[in-house]
Each structure stands twice: as structure tokens, then as C-alpha cells.
Amino acid sequence: MIKYTICFLKRQSRFLMLNRLHPPIMGLWNGVGGKLEPDEAPLSGVLREVLEETGIPLKSAAYKGMVTWAIDGASHGGMHAFIAEVPDDFDIKTPVLIDEGILDWRELEWILHPENAGVPENLPFFLPDMLAGDDCFHYHFCYSNGTITSHEKTPLSEAILQSS
Ligand SMILES: Nc1nc2c([nH]c(=O)n2[C@H]2C[C@H](O)[C@@H](COP(=O)(O)OP(=O)(O)OP(=O)(O)O)O2)c(=O)[nH]1
């Protein structure tokens, strides 16, 4: 069961990212998102989280697939991932402190830099793919001792896509 959503909010080569104040992604720059409410559809959930955390009233976001993770062999969690363009007329003074952390713009090049320890370890594995194409995938990561030990990418079936 996928409990979370995440949205990467893009404007040209920059993304509006959240440096989270609280676990599970504390201290790292991540997309905006959060927990789905009971019976909430992933798109509705992510639009709600984006509005709550940034004030951006998105009308839609592009579905990019699922990211799941297992820790020491036990399935642990997952999120539905989306990408959206920040509307041209939306202005935000950054950096800005919100309840969940600090919102600020980050360059894609910085986000994807391999030596960059400022983003969740799995993010550079899936974000370039999500930006590159229209296909949706399921990305699965296995962690041991707090680090990724293996990962795989499989196409998402039509059936899953329609139900998400
Ligand atoms: N890139 C990346 N993001 C992750 C991973 N694990 C994980 O939970 N996230 C994302 C999913 C959510 O967008 C966010 C965690 O959301 P959250 O627990 O703060 O949710 P929330 O704000 O609704 O929390 P709450 O107030 O309801 O407790 O972090 C991961 O391994 N990689």
C-alpha cells in the first residue's frame, strides 16, 4: 500500500524544494508532499499537499510512477511521484520557513550531483528518468545499514496506472 505522495515543482532549470525539519527525510532537500488521507486519490493528495506547503494552487500534475523501499528485506513504504510546472504568475519569497521545513529553489544540476549528500539517496536514481520521458515506472530501493544496496526499475502496468 502506497501511503505517500511527492511532487517535484519545476521552473526552468530550478525546483522548489523542501528541506524537511522532521523525519523521515529530516535535513535533506526533497520534493513537496506527504501522507495520503484515507481513501484520497494520489493526484488529489499531492495537489492538497502542494497547496498546503507552498500555496501554489496547481490544477494538475503529471504522474511519473511509484517509488518504494525496503529496509533490511522488509517492505517499508512508498510514494506516488508527480512533476508540475510552477505557474509563471506564482511568486514566492524564498527561502521561507514553513511548518515542515525550509522552502527554497535548487538547481537541477545541484540536486543530481553524485557527491551531493543534501538530497535523499534514492532521488538521483529516479528524478532524471521522470524528467526525461512520458513513461511511468516503479522504482524499488533496498536499504541496509542506512544505504542503498540494490535498486530496480520496472514499467508500470496500465492497470496500476488507471487505478492510481
Ligand atoms: N525522495 C524520497 N522521498 C521520500 C522517501 N521516503 C519518504 O517518506 N519520502 C517523502 C514522501 C513524502 O513526500 C515525505 C514524507 O512526508 P511526511 O511524513 O512529512 O508527511 P506529512 O507531511 O503528511 O506528515 P504528517 O504531518 O501527516 O505526519 O517524504 C525516500 O526514500 N525518498
Side-chain angles (χ1 to χ4, degrees):
M1 181 63 187
I2 305 281
K3 284 198 302 200
Y4 292 100
T5 62
I6 191 161
C7 188
F8 294 94
L9 292 163
K10 189 174 180 300
R11 178 176 274 168
Q12 292 159 1
S13 63
R14 300 198 304 169
F15 287 80
L16 189 59
M17 306 282 284
L18 178 61
N19 190 312
R20 293 201 160 260
L21 276 175
H22 311 288
I25 306 289
M26 192 165 72
L28 297 175
W29 292 92
N30 203 15
V32 169
K35 236 175 258 133
L36 283 164
E37 288 175 354
D39 300 324
E40 190 176 35
L43 179 60
S44 313
V46 82
L47 297 181
R48 173 183 54 73
E49 291 282 355
V50 169
L51 182 63
E52 285 173 8
E53 294 184 351
T54 69
I56 303 174
L58 286 180
K59 291 197 177 64
S60 195
Y63 187 62
K64 290 293 174 178
M66 289 177 347
V67 180
T68 58
W69 48 91
I71 299 179
D72 295 327
S75 173
H76 213 263
M79 57 191 183
H80 290 287
F82 296 81
I83 291 180
E85 290 283 338
V86 177
D88 287 341
D89 59 358
F90 179 79
D91 197 17
I92 181 170
K93 273 210 173 10
T94 54
V96 60
L97 181 63
I98 60 168
D99 288 349
E100 292 79 7
I102 298 164
L103 275 177
D104 204 357
W105 296 97
R106 284 288 173 271
E107 286 286 340
L108 181 61
E109 202 185 330
W110 182 88
I111 296 168
L112 300 183
H113 196 277
E115 269 84 54
N116 172 13
V119 300
E121 193 185 352
N122 56 9
L123 199 156
F125 288 93
F126 61 77
L127 186 59
D129 247 40
M130 291 180 177
L131 293 168
D134 291 336
D135 292 338
C136 295
F137 294 92
H138 175 191
Y139 304 83
H140 183 68
F141 295 87
C142 294
Y143 288 83
S144 191
N145 295 322
T147 194
I148 295 172
T149 50
S150 67
H151 57 96
E152 58 184 24
K153 167 183 160 185
T154 48
L156 267 192
S157 74
E158 275 303 311
I160 293 175
L161 275 176
Q162 275 160 21
S163 68
S164 60

